[in-house]
Amino acid sequence: MPLHADDLVSTQAGGLRRHLTETAPAHAGRSSVSAWEQENALQGATGGHRDYQNAGERLFSSKIRVRKYVKYYEKQVLNYDMDRIMGIGVFAASCASASLLGPGKCQLKCDVLIVVVLSLASMSMLLLGGIELADLDLQKINDLVRDFHTLATFLLGFYVTTCLSRWWAIRNDCIGALWGSIDDLSLLVGSYFGRDTDADRQVREQVLRWGVLSHELVYKQARADANLADLVEIGLLTDHEQALLEQLSSKPQVIWAWMCSYFAHLAYGERQDGGSRLPYPVTTLPQLHEICRKARGAIGQAFAYTDTQVPFRYVHFLSLLIWVHNFFQAVNSALVMAHAVKNRDTLSFVIEFIFLFWYPLVYLGLLHLGAGMLNPLRCKQDIDFPHGAWKHFMIQENHSFFVGSTQPHGPPYGRPPVWRPDASEGQLP
């Protein structure tokens, strides 16, 4: 049965109603697989622009693009074709914008170029000056470089592991916990306020709107973006709420303070103001407050990770070690290549030049790789979280909870129960 716009109640800003209408279920007789589900199932490939998708899904699909086996939503990576990337396609994927070696990665390329140019300049000076070291001295320098290889590899392994662990914790324990809390609230609110009335719909949409708003504010705080006008424009924030938030810090956590207060109002507020409607508030209110506390804690934990960097001494000493290794590698390669030029040994020159290019690229690349994972909430880089895609599915997912379990389309067993303060058990209207 198709869902019409008239089935949805408008919020104060009206924007969430538009979001919900655009992401309504597909028409009967057509595929019920959403654009989000399809794009996640087709990793590294796109399902195309299907003519039977609703407006919201067409908009979502229009922001999907695939380049070099990597799928992007807007400019962030959504997923990728692992089979192609592990095969010969790895070389094509190196040119992808999300790759460490892709276009726009100027800092890494400049750092490697510095080492290569330094080594070639040193080789030229050795050749022009006629300087040549004894084999024993060459062997000592080569042994020193090998020792640096071992030490740098060992320490970089711990560094990248630490950065990856923090990245996954932000995704799973922070954003994942926040998303899960929003889902849980939708489940409970849908069961408590499941009637096809303006009052019940207003509660459901208020809770969902604030939940999605807190998710969006996380990314704004992470990149110090004080502009809230775009959130007002899309209907996640009202003008009055904007005026309240603009002067406050920790804006995404403030939303959960609003949520706790709103549930308390639903439990014990004045009836003429829409309060005292929460069923069995003695037991349900603490349950709802606990979910709000968990969501606020997830946001706080996310910023504990992003605001507390990996210790300075650790990163500085590791970076210093890598650069000292690079300089020793440059000197060692200069000596070897100069010796090869004098002896017209082209093969030795080429092999040593590969070493000169490859080792600094690997070690500096791992440094940049780890640093890029430390704050994926800023949404500035292509490897940051695709929060726009997550927002789309978050709204769609929670809206599906409401449509499937509330009137006029659900629940499947019949009419939802109605709590009456003067009755000991739920009654049907």
Side-chain angles (χ1 to χ4, degrees), residues 35-49 60-61 64-73 77-85:
W36 164 270
E37 293 166 334
Q38 181 179 11
E39 296 298 347
N40 272 297
L42 299 175
Q43 296 180 342
T46 182
H49 192 74
F60 175 83
S61 296
I64 296 288
R65 61 186 177 88
V66 178
R67 299 288 187 276
K68 311 296 183 182
Y69 314 123
V70 181
K71 182 185 296 182
Y72 303 87
Y73 180 84
V77 173
L78 185 61
N79 53 53
Y80 54 89
D81 189 335
M82 183 173 289
D83 291 335
R84 294 294 185 93
I85 288 181

PDB file of all heavy atoms in Angstrom, residues 35-49 60-61 64-73 77-85:
ATOM      1  N   ALA A  35      17.602   1.975  -1.925  1.00  0.00           N
ATOM      2  CA  ALA A  35      18.838   2.365  -2.601  1.00  0.00           C
ATOM      3  C   ALA A  35      20.037   2.130  -1.693  1.00  0.00           C
ATOM      4  O   ALA A  35      21.101   1.688  -2.127  1.00  0.00           O
ATOM      5  CB  ALA A  35      18.764   3.835  -3.025  1.00  0.00           C
ATOM      6  N   TRP A  36      19.872   2.438  -0.383  1.00  0.00           N
ATOM      7  CA  TRP A  36      20.966   2.216   0.570  1.00  0.00           C
ATOM      8  C   TRP A  36      21.345   0.749   0.630  1.00  0.00           C
ATOM      9  O   TRP A  36      22.528   0.405   0.579  1.00  0.00           O
ATOM     10  CB  TRP A  36      20.536   2.717   1.949  1.00  0.00           C
ATOM     11  CG  TRP A  36      21.392   2.219   3.086  1.00  0.00           C
ATOM     12  CD1 TRP A  36      21.214   1.084   3.817  1.00  0.00           C
ATOM     13  CD2 TRP A  36      22.585   2.815   3.596  1.00  0.00           C
ATOM     14  NE1 TRP A  36      22.191   0.949   4.758  1.00  0.00           N
ATOM     15  CE2 TRP A  36      23.046   2.005   4.645  1.00  0.00           C
ATOM     16  CE3 TRP A  36      23.289   3.971   3.275  1.00  0.00           C
ATOM     17  CZ2 TRP A  36      24.198   2.310   5.380  1.00  0.00           C
ATOM     18  CZ3 TRP A  36      24.429   4.279   4.006  1.00  0.00           C
ATOM     19  CH2 TRP A  36      24.871   3.453   5.040  1.00  0.00           C
ATOM     20  N   GLU A  37      20.361  -0.132   0.733  1.00  0.00           N
ATOM     21  CA  GLU A  37      20.645  -1.572   0.816  1.00  0.00           C
ATOM     22  C   GLU A  37      21.291  -2.079  -0.458  1.00  0.00           C
ATOM     23  O   GLU A  37      22.210  -2.907  -0.422  1.00  0.00           O
ATOM     24  CB  GLU A  37      19.345  -2.333   1.114  1.00  0.00           C
ATOM     25  CG  GLU A  37      18.794  -2.044   2.504  1.00  0.00           C
ATOM     26  CD  GLU A  37      17.367  -2.518   2.682  1.00  0.00           C
ATOM     27  OE1 GLU A  37      16.630  -2.615   1.666  1.00  0.00           O
ATOM     28  OE2 GLU A  37      16.969  -2.787   3.833  1.00  0.00           O
ATOM     29  N   GLN A  38      20.826  -1.579  -1.595  1.00  0.00           N
ATOM     30  CA  GLN A  38      21.397  -2.018  -2.855  1.00  0.00           C
ATOM     31  C   GLN A  38      22.831  -1.546  -3.013  1.00  0.00           C
ATOM     32  O   GLN A  38      23.711  -2.316  -3.416  1.00  0.00           O
ATOM     33  CB  GLN A  38      20.554  -1.510  -4.024  1.00  0.00           C
ATOM     34  CG  GLN A  38      21.087  -1.968  -5.382  1.00  0.00           C
ATOM     35  CD  GLN A  38      20.235  -1.470  -6.530  1.00  0.00           C
ATOM     36  OE1 GLN A  38      19.376  -0.629  -6.339  1.00  0.00           O
ATOM     37  NE2 GLN A  38      20.459  -1.982  -7.708  1.00  0.00           N
ATOM     38  N   GLU A  39      23.092  -0.283  -2.691  1.00  0.00           N
ATOM     39  CA  GLU A  39      24.440   0.252  -2.861  1.00  0.00           C
ATOM     40  C   GLU A  39      25.427  -0.384  -1.900  1.00  0.00           C
ATOM     41  O   GLU A  39      26.612  -0.512  -2.194  1.00  0.00           O
ATOM     42  CB  GLU A  39      24.434   1.775  -2.683  1.00  0.00           C
ATOM     43  CG  GLU A  39      23.619   2.533  -3.713  1.00  0.00           C
ATOM     44  CD  GLU A  39      24.132   2.361  -5.130  1.00  0.00           C
ATOM     45  OE1 GLU A  39      25.260   1.856  -5.318  1.00  0.00           O
ATOM     46  OE2 GLU A  39      23.415   2.737  -6.066  1.00  0.00           O
ATOM     47  N   ASN A  40      24.962  -0.807  -0.732  1.00  0.00           N
ATOM     48  CA  ASN A  40      25.856  -1.505   0.196  1.00  0.00           C
ATOM     49  C   ASN A  40      26.093  -2.943  -0.228  1.00  0.00           C
ATOM     50  O   ASN A  40      27.160  -3.500   0.022  1.00  0.00           O
ATOM     51  CB  ASN A  40      25.282  -1.471   1.614  1.00  0.00           C
ATOM     52  CG  ASN A  40      25.719  -0.240   2.368  1.00  0.00           C
ATOM     53  OD1 ASN A  40      26.898  -0.032   2.615  1.00  0.00           O
ATOM     54  ND2 ASN A  40      24.775   0.599   2.728  1.00  0.00           N
ATOM     55  N   ALA A  41      25.094  -3.558  -0.852  1.00  0.00           N
ATOM     56  CA  ALA A  41      25.266  -4.934  -1.327  1.00  0.00           C
ATOM     57  C   ALA A  41      26.191  -4.995  -2.542  1.00  0.00           C
ATOM     58  O   ALA A  41      26.982  -5.928  -2.685  1.00  0.00           O
ATOM     59  CB  ALA A  41      23.909  -5.549  -1.666  1.00  0.00           C
ATOM     60  N   LEU A  42      26.097  -3.989  -3.415  1.00  0.00           N
ATOM     61  CA  LEU A  42      26.941  -3.929  -4.609  1.00  0.00           C
ATOM     62  C   LEU A  42      28.194  -3.122  -4.294  1.00  0.00           C
ATOM     63  O   LEU A  42      28.319  -1.953  -4.640  1.00  0.00           O
ATOM     64  CB  LEU A  42      26.173  -3.290  -5.762  1.00  0.00           C
ATOM     65  CG  LEU A  42      24.911  -4.023  -6.215  1.00  0.00           C
ATOM     66  CD1 LEU A  42      24.172  -3.216  -7.277  1.00  0.00           C
ATOM     67  CD2 LEU A  42      25.262  -5.406  -6.754  1.00  0.00           C
ATOM     68  N   GLN A  43      29.127  -3.731  -3.614  1.00  0.00           N
ATOM     69  CA  GLN A  43      30.330  -3.020  -3.184  1.00  0.00           C
ATOM     70  C   GLN A  43      31.233  -2.708  -4.371  1.00  0.00           C
ATOM     71  O   GLN A  43      31.597  -3.588  -5.137  1.00  0.00           O
ATOM     72  CB  GLN A  43      31.083  -3.838  -2.144  1.00  0.00           C
ATOM     73  CG  GLN A  43      30.295  -4.030  -0.853  1.00  0.00           C
ATOM     74  CD  GLN A  43      31.038  -4.840   0.181  1.00  0.00           C
ATOM     75  OE1 GLN A  43      31.985  -5.538  -0.128  1.00  0.00           O
ATOM     76  NE2 GLN A  43      30.601  -4.746   1.427  1.00  0.00           N
ATOM     77  N   GLY A  44      31.594  -1.448  -4.501  1.00  0.00           N
ATOM     78  CA  GLY A  44      32.462  -1.032  -5.587  1.00  0.00           C
ATOM     79  C   GLY A  44      31.772  -0.930  -6.926  1.00  0.00           C
ATOM     80  O   GLY A  44      32.410  -0.699  -7.953  1.00  0.00           O
ATOM     81  N   ALA A  45      30.447  -1.120  -6.972  1.00  0.00           N
ATOM     82  CA  ALA A  45      29.656  -0.990  -8.202  1.00  0.00           C
ATOM     83  C   ALA A  45      28.356  -0.301  -7.826  1.00  0.00           C
ATOM     84  O   ALA A  45      27.952  -0.283  -6.662  1.00  0.00           O
ATOM     85  CB  ALA A  45      29.398  -2.345  -8.842  1.00  0.00           C
ATOM     86  N   THR A  46      27.694   0.271  -8.813  1.00  0.00           N
ATOM     87  CA  THR A  46      26.463   0.993  -8.522  1.00  0.00           C
ATOM     88  C   THR A  46      25.269   0.300  -9.149  1.00  0.00           C
ATOM     89  O   THR A  46      25.382  -0.320 -10.228  1.00  0.00           O
ATOM     90  CB  THR A  46      26.541   2.448  -9.026  1.00  0.00           C
ATOM     91  OG1 THR A  46      25.338   3.129  -8.669  1.00  0.00           O
ATOM     92  CG2 THR A  46      26.742   2.503 -10.524  1.00  0.00           C
ATOM     93  N   GLY A  47      24.130   0.400  -8.453  1.00  0.00           N
ATOM     94  CA  GLY A  47      22.913  -0.212  -8.961  1.00  0.00           C
ATOM     95  C   GLY A  47      22.197   0.632  -9.985  1.00  0.00           C
ATOM     96  O   GLY A  47      21.171   0.227 -10.535  1.00  0.00           O
ATOM     97  N   GLY A  48      22.725   1.835 -10.232  1.00  0.00           N
ATOM     98  CA  GLY A  48      22.098   2.690 -11.237  1.00  0.00           C
ATOM     99  C   GLY A  48      20.929   3.477 -10.682  1.00  0.00           C
ATOM    100  O   GLY A  48      20.560   3.382  -9.519  1.00  0.00           O
ATOM    101  N   HIS A  49      20.324   4.244 -11.536  1.00  0.00           N
ATOM    102  CA  HIS A  49      19.213   5.122 -11.170  1.00  0.00           C
ATOM    103  C   HIS A  49      17.900   4.439 -11.560  1.00  0.00           C
ATOM    104  O   HIS A  49      17.458   4.509 -12.689  1.00  0.00           O
ATOM    105  CB  HIS A  49      19.385   6.457 -11.906  1.00  0.00           C
ATOM    106  CG  HIS A  49      18.469   7.524 -11.407  1.00  0.00           C
ATOM    107  ND1 HIS A  49      18.663   8.160 -10.198  1.00  0.00           N
ATOM    108  CD2 HIS A  49      17.367   8.083 -11.959  1.00  0.00           C
ATOM    109  CE1 HIS A  49      17.719   9.073 -10.039  1.00  0.00           C
ATOM    110  NE2 HIS A  49      16.921   9.045 -11.082  1.00  0.00           N
ATOM    111  N   PHE A  60      19.466  10.251  -3.316  1.00  0.00           N
ATOM    112  CA  PHE A  60      20.581   9.479  -2.743  1.00  0.00           C
ATOM    113  C   PHE A  60      21.423   8.858  -3.852  1.00  0.00           C
ATOM    114  O   PHE A  60      22.658   8.960  -3.843  1.00  0.00           O
ATOM    115  CB  PHE A  60      20.024   8.390  -1.818  1.00  0.00           C
ATOM    116  CG  PHE A  60      21.068   7.456  -1.256  1.00  0.00           C
ATOM    117  CD1 PHE A  60      21.803   7.810  -0.140  1.00  0.00           C
ATOM    118  CD2 PHE A  60      21.313   6.228  -1.857  1.00  0.00           C
ATOM    119  CE1 PHE A  60      22.764   6.953   0.372  1.00  0.00           C
ATOM    120  CE2 PHE A  60      22.267   5.370  -1.350  1.00  0.00           C
ATOM    121  CZ  PHE A  60      22.992   5.729  -0.231  1.00  0.00           C
ATOM    122  N   SER A  61      20.788   8.220  -4.815  1.00  0.00           N
ATOM    123  CA  SER A  61      21.509   7.569  -5.908  1.00  0.00           C
ATOM    124  C   SER A  61      22.269   8.562  -6.765  1.00  0.00           C
ATOM    125  O   SER A  61      23.337   8.240  -7.297  1.00  0.00           O
ATOM    126  CB  SER A  61      20.532   6.773  -6.787  1.00  0.00           C
ATOM    127  OG  SER A  61      19.940   5.724  -6.064  1.00  0.00           O
ATOM    128  N   ILE A  64      25.829   9.125  -5.731  1.00  0.00           N
ATOM    129  CA  ILE A  64      26.729   7.969  -5.763  1.00  0.00           C
ATOM    130  C   ILE A  64      27.565   8.010  -7.048  1.00  0.00           C
ATOM    131  O   ILE A  64      27.040   8.256  -8.130  1.00  0.00           O
ATOM    132  CB  ILE A  64      25.941   6.651  -5.715  1.00  0.00           C
ATOM    133  CG1 ILE A  64      25.183   6.508  -4.386  1.00  0.00           C
ATOM    134  CG2 ILE A  64      26.863   5.457  -5.947  1.00  0.00           C
ATOM    135  CD1 ILE A  64      26.052   6.219  -3.202  1.00  0.00           C
ATOM    136  N   ARG A  65      28.853   7.762  -6.926  1.00  0.00           N
ATOM    137  CA  ARG A  65      29.707   7.606  -8.103  1.00  0.00           C
ATOM    138  C   ARG A  65      30.754   6.554  -7.807  1.00  0.00           C
ATOM    139  O   ARG A  65      31.148   6.348  -6.643  1.00  0.00           O
ATOM    140  CB  ARG A  65      30.379   8.933  -8.472  1.00  0.00           C
ATOM    141  CG  ARG A  65      31.283   9.514  -7.408  1.00  0.00           C
ATOM    142  CD  ARG A  65      31.800  10.884  -7.784  1.00  0.00           C
ATOM    143  NE  ARG A  65      32.616  11.468  -6.730  1.00  0.00           N
ATOM    144  CZ  ARG A  65      33.928  11.290  -6.601  1.00  0.00           C
ATOM    145  NH1 ARG A  65      34.574  10.529  -7.493  1.00  0.00           N
ATOM    146  NH2 ARG A  65      34.602  11.852  -5.629  1.00  0.00           N
ATOM    147  N   VAL A  66      31.179   5.862  -8.835  1.00  0.00           N
ATOM    148  CA  VAL A  66      32.185   4.811  -8.707  1.00  0.00           C
ATOM    149  C   VAL A  66      33.384   5.176  -9.569  1.00  0.00           C
ATOM    150  O   VAL A  66      33.229   5.455 -10.762  1.00  0.00           O
ATOM    151  CB  VAL A  66      31.623   3.432  -9.130  1.00  0.00           C
ATOM    152  CG1 VAL A  66      32.698   2.362  -9.034  1.00  0.00           C
ATOM    153  CG2 VAL A  66      30.423   3.065  -8.261  1.00  0.00           C
ATOM    154  N   ARG A  67      34.567   5.177  -8.967  1.00  0.00           N
ATOM    155  CA  ARG A  67      35.809   5.468  -9.668  1.00  0.00           C
ATOM    156  C   ARG A  67      36.877   4.488  -9.212  1.00  0.00           C
ATOM    157  O   ARG A  67      37.117   4.364  -8.014  1.00  0.00           O
ATOM    158  CB  ARG A  67      36.279   6.908  -9.391  1.00  0.00           C
ATOM    159  CG  ARG A  67      35.317   7.997  -9.840  1.00  0.00           C
ATOM    160  CD  ARG A  67      35.280   8.149 -11.355  1.00  0.00           C
ATOM    161  NE  ARG A  67      34.478   9.301 -11.753  1.00  0.00           N
ATOM    162  CZ  ARG A  67      33.173   9.282 -11.896  1.00  0.00           C
ATOM    163  NH1 ARG A  67      32.494   8.160 -11.660  1.00  0.00           N
ATOM    164  NH2 ARG A  67      32.512  10.361 -12.260  1.00  0.00           N
ATOM    165  N   LYS A  68      37.497   3.809 -10.159  1.00  0.00           N
ATOM    166  CA  LYS A  68      38.622   2.906  -9.846  1.00  0.00           C
ATOM    167  C   LYS A  68      38.249   1.881  -8.776  1.00  0.00           C
ATOM    168  O   LYS A  68      38.989   1.650  -7.828  1.00  0.00           O
ATOM    169  CB  LYS A  68      39.844   3.706  -9.386  1.00  0.00           C
ATOM    170  CG  LYS A  68      40.226   4.863 -10.281  1.00  0.00           C
ATOM    171  CD  LYS A  68      40.658   4.418 -11.654  1.00  0.00           C
ATOM    172  CE  LYS A  68      41.110   5.613 -12.495  1.00  0.00           C
ATOM    173  NZ  LYS A  68      41.488   5.210 -13.863  1.00  0.00           N
ATOM    174  N   TYR A  69      37.044   1.297  -8.912  1.00  0.00           N
ATOM    175  CA  TYR A  69      36.548   0.247  -8.016  1.00  0.00           C
ATOM    176  C   TYR A  69      36.186   0.765  -6.620  1.00  0.00           C
ATOM    177  O   TYR A  69      35.976  -0.017  -5.692  1.00  0.00           O
ATOM    178  CB  TYR A  69      37.555  -0.895  -7.872  1.00  0.00           C
ATOM    179  CG  TYR A  69      38.129  -1.360  -9.176  1.00  0.00           C
ATOM    180  CD1 TYR A  69      39.501  -1.353  -9.396  1.00  0.00           C
ATOM    181  CD2 TYR A  69      37.306  -1.792 -10.212  1.00  0.00           C
ATOM    182  CE1 TYR A  69      40.033  -1.770 -10.610  1.00  0.00           C
ATOM    183  CE2 TYR A  69      37.826  -2.215 -11.431  1.00  0.00           C
ATOM    184  CZ  TYR A  69      39.186  -2.194 -11.622  1.00  0.00           C
ATOM    185  OH  TYR A  69      39.713  -2.596 -12.814  1.00  0.00           O
ATOM    186  N   VAL A  70      36.132   2.093  -6.451  1.00  0.00           N
ATOM    187  CA  VAL A  70      35.773   2.687  -5.164  1.00  0.00           C
ATOM    188  C   VAL A  70      34.476   3.453  -5.340  1.00  0.00           C
ATOM    189  O   VAL A  70      34.330   4.243  -6.272  1.00  0.00           O
ATOM    190  CB  VAL A  70      36.879   3.627  -4.645  1.00  0.00           C
ATOM    191  CG1 VAL A  70      36.489   4.207  -3.290  1.00  0.00           C
ATOM    192  CG2 VAL A  70      38.207   2.888  -4.547  1.00  0.00           C
ATOM    193  N   LYS A  71      33.521   3.218  -4.445  1.00  0.00           N
ATOM    194  CA  LYS A  71      32.229   3.897  -4.500  1.00  0.00           C
ATOM    195  C   LYS A  71      32.218   5.043  -3.496  1.00  0.00           C
ATOM    196  O   LYS A  71      32.563   4.860  -2.321  1.00  0.00           O
ATOM    197  CB  LYS A  71      31.092   2.924  -4.188  1.00  0.00           C
ATOM    198  CG  LYS A  71      29.695   3.536  -4.268  1.00  0.00           C
ATOM    199  CD  LYS A  71      28.630   2.555  -3.823  1.00  0.00           C
ATOM    200  CE  LYS A  71      28.574   1.351  -4.741  1.00  0.00           C
ATOM    201  NZ  LYS A  71      27.506   0.411  -4.352  1.00  0.00           N
ATOM    202  N   TYR A  72      31.819   6.213  -3.955  1.00  0.00           N
ATOM    203  CA  TYR A  72      31.771   7.410  -3.121  1.00  0.00           C
ATOM    204  C   TYR A  72      30.327   7.883  -2.981  1.00  0.00           C
ATOM    205  O   TYR A  72      29.548   7.807  -3.923  1.00  0.00           O
ATOM    206  CB  TYR A  72      32.583   8.553  -3.734  1.00  0.00           C
ATOM    207  CG  TYR A  72      34.030   8.234  -4.009  1.00  0.00           C
ATOM    208  CD1 TYR A  72      34.411   7.634  -5.211  1.00  0.00           C
ATOM    209  CD2 TYR A  72      35.024   8.546  -3.083  1.00  0.00           C
ATOM    210  CE1 TYR A  72      35.737   7.347  -5.476  1.00  0.00           C
ATOM    211  CE2 TYR A  72      36.360   8.272  -3.349  1.00  0.00           C
ATOM    212  CZ  TYR A  72      36.707   7.666  -4.543  1.00  0.00           C
ATOM    213  OH  TYR A  72      38.017   7.395  -4.809  1.00  0.00           O
ATOM    214  N   TYR A  73      30.007   8.376  -1.787  1.00  0.00           N
ATOM    215  CA  TYR A  73      28.780   9.160  -1.605  1.00  0.00           C
ATOM    216  C   TYR A  73      29.229  10.597  -1.404  1.00  0.00           C
ATOM    217  O   TYR A  73      29.918  10.902  -0.436  1.00  0.00           O
ATOM    218  CB  TYR A  73      27.975   8.682  -0.398  1.00  0.00           C
ATOM    219  CG  TYR A  73      26.703   9.478  -0.199  1.00  0.00           C
ATOM    220  CD1 TYR A  73      25.552   9.157  -0.904  1.00  0.00           C
ATOM    221  CD2 TYR A  73      26.674  10.569   0.664  1.00  0.00           C
ATOM    222  CE1 TYR A  73      24.398   9.905  -0.737  1.00  0.00           C
ATOM    223  CE2 TYR A  73      25.523  11.317   0.830  1.00  0.00           C
ATOM    224  CZ  TYR A  73      24.386  10.973   0.121  1.00  0.00           C
ATOM    225  OH  TYR A  73      23.236  11.726   0.285  1.00  0.00           O
ATOM    226  N   VAL A  77      34.167   7.892   0.889  1.00  0.00           N
ATOM    227  CA  VAL A  77      34.096   6.490   0.470  1.00  0.00           C
ATOM    228  C   VAL A  77      32.928   5.813   1.179  1.00  0.00           C
ATOM    229  O   VAL A  77      32.804   5.877   2.405  1.00  0.00           O
ATOM    230  CB  VAL A  77      35.409   5.754   0.790  1.00  0.00           C
ATOM    231  CG1 VAL A  77      35.268   4.263   0.500  1.00  0.00           C
ATOM    232  CG2 VAL A  77      36.560   6.340  -0.013  1.00  0.00           C
ATOM    233  N   LEU A  78      32.063   5.149   0.399  1.00  0.00           N
ATOM    234  CA  LEU A  78      30.964   4.365   0.959  1.00  0.00           C
ATOM    235  C   LEU A  78      31.373   2.907   1.065  1.00  0.00           C
ATOM    236  O   LEU A  78      31.185   2.266   2.094  1.00  0.00           O
ATOM    237  CB  LEU A  78      29.710   4.511   0.094  1.00  0.00           C
ATOM    238  CG  LEU A  78      28.442   3.852   0.611  1.00  0.00           C
ATOM    239  CD1 LEU A  78      28.032   4.448   1.957  1.00  0.00           C
ATOM    240  CD2 LEU A  78      27.299   4.008  -0.379  1.00  0.00           C
ATOM    241  N   ASN A  79      31.940   2.338   0.000  1.00  0.00           N
ATOM    242  CA  ASN A  79      32.495   0.993   0.020  1.00  0.00           C
ATOM    243  C   ASN A  79      33.378   0.815  -1.216  1.00  0.00           C
ATOM    244  O   ASN A  79      33.550   1.759  -1.995  1.00  0.00           O
ATOM    245  CB  ASN A  79      31.402  -0.085   0.091  1.00  0.00           C
ATOM    246  CG  ASN A  79      30.354   0.069  -0.997  1.00  0.00           C
ATOM    247  OD1 ASN A  79      30.668   0.150  -2.186  1.00  0.00           O
ATOM    248  ND2 ASN A  79      29.087   0.129  -0.600  1.00  0.00           N
ATOM    249  N   TYR A  80      33.902  -0.378  -1.408  1.00  0.00           N
ATOM    250  CA  TYR A  80      34.808  -0.633  -2.530  1.00  0.00           C
ATOM    251  C   TYR A  80      34.772  -2.107  -2.889  1.00  0.00           C
ATOM    252  O   TYR A  80      34.306  -2.961  -2.108  1.00  0.00           O
ATOM    253  CB  TYR A  80      36.237  -0.202  -2.195  1.00  0.00           C
ATOM    254  CG  TYR A  80      36.780  -0.812  -0.922  1.00  0.00           C
ATOM    255  CD1 TYR A  80      37.445  -2.042  -0.928  1.00  0.00           C
ATOM    256  CD2 TYR A  80      36.612  -0.161   0.297  1.00  0.00           C
ATOM    257  CE1 TYR A  80      37.921  -2.599   0.244  1.00  0.00           C
ATOM    258  CE2 TYR A  80      37.083  -0.710   1.476  1.00  0.00           C
ATOM    259  CZ  TYR A  80      37.746  -1.931   1.445  1.00  0.00           C
ATOM    260  OH  TYR A  80      38.206  -2.474   2.613  1.00  0.00           O
ATOM    261  N   ASP A  81      35.243  -2.424  -4.101  1.00  0.00           N
ATOM    262  CA  ASP A  81      35.276  -3.795  -4.594  1.00  0.00           C
ATOM    263  C   ASP A  81      36.557  -4.455  -4.102  1.00  0.00           C
ATOM    264  O   ASP A  81      37.632  -4.259  -4.674  1.00  0.00           O
ATOM    265  CB  ASP A  81      35.215  -3.801  -6.123  1.00  0.00           C
ATOM    266  CG  ASP A  81      35.031  -5.194  -6.696  1.00  0.00           C
ATOM    267  OD1 ASP A  81      35.420  -6.170  -6.022  1.00  0.00           O
ATOM    268  OD2 ASP A  81      34.520  -5.317  -7.826  1.00  0.00           O
ATOM    269  N   MET A  82      36.451  -5.225  -3.045  1.00  0.00           N
ATOM    270  CA  MET A  82      37.633  -5.813  -2.429  1.00  0.00           C
ATOM    271  C   MET A  82      38.321  -6.810  -3.354  1.00  0.00           C
ATOM    272  O   MET A  82      39.557  -6.889  -3.397  1.00  0.00           O
ATOM    273  CB  MET A  82      37.263  -6.486  -1.103  1.00  0.00           C
ATOM    274  CG  MET A  82      38.452  -7.065  -0.355  1.00  0.00           C
ATOM    275  SD  MET A  82      38.036  -7.677   1.287  1.00  0.00           S
ATOM    276  CE  MET A  82      37.731  -6.138   2.144  1.00  0.00           C
ATOM    277  N   ASP A  83      37.544  -7.588  -4.116  1.00  0.00           N
ATOM    278  CA  ASP A  83      38.141  -8.573  -5.013  1.00  0.00           C
ATOM    279  C   ASP A  83      39.031  -7.898  -6.056  1.00  0.00           C
ATOM    280  O   ASP A  83      40.136  -8.372  -6.350  1.00  0.00           O
ATOM    281  CB  ASP A  83      37.054  -9.397  -5.708  1.00  0.00           C
ATOM    282  CG  ASP A  83      36.319 -10.310  -4.736  1.00  0.00           C
ATOM    283  OD1 ASP A  83      36.913 -10.664  -3.697  1.00  0.00           O
ATOM    284  OD2 ASP A  83      35.152 -10.649  -5.005  1.00  0.00           O
ATOM    285  N   ARG A  84      38.546  -6.807  -6.646  1.00  0.00           N
ATOM    286  CA  ARG A  84      39.337  -6.102  -7.656  1.00  0.00           C
ATOM    287  C   ARG A  84      40.575  -5.459  -7.032  1.00  0.00           C
ATOM    288  O   ARG A  84      41.655  -5.459  -7.625  1.00  0.00           O
ATOM    289  CB  ARG A  84      38.479  -5.027  -8.327  1.00  0.00           C
ATOM    290  CG  ARG A  84      37.329  -5.573  -9.151  1.00  0.00           C
ATOM    291  CD  ARG A  84      37.824  -6.357 -10.363  1.00  0.00           C
ATOM    292  NE  ARG A  84      36.724  -6.776 -11.209  1.00  0.00           N
ATOM    293  CZ  ARG A  84      36.283  -6.086 -12.250  1.00  0.00           C
ATOM    294  NH1 ARG A  84      36.863  -4.941 -12.574  1.00  0.00           N
ATOM    295  NH2 ARG A  84      35.260  -6.520 -12.961  1.00  0.00           N
ATOM    296  N   ILE A  85      40.401  -4.900  -5.843  1.00  0.00           N
ATOM    297  CA  ILE A  85      41.514  -4.206  -5.206  1.00  0.00           C
ATOM    298  C   ILE A  85      42.594  -5.192  -4.763  1.00  0.00           C
ATOM    299  O   ILE A  85      43.786  -4.856  -4.759  1.00  0.00           O
ATOM    300  CB  ILE A  85      40.997  -3.372  -4.027  1.00  0.00           C
ATOM    301  CG1 ILE A  85      40.224  -2.173  -4.563  1.00  0.00           C
ATOM    302  CG2 ILE A  85      42.127  -2.909  -3.121  1.00  0.00           C
ATOM    303  CD1 ILE A  85      39.687  -1.251  -3.518  1.00  0.00           C
TER     304      ILE A  85
END
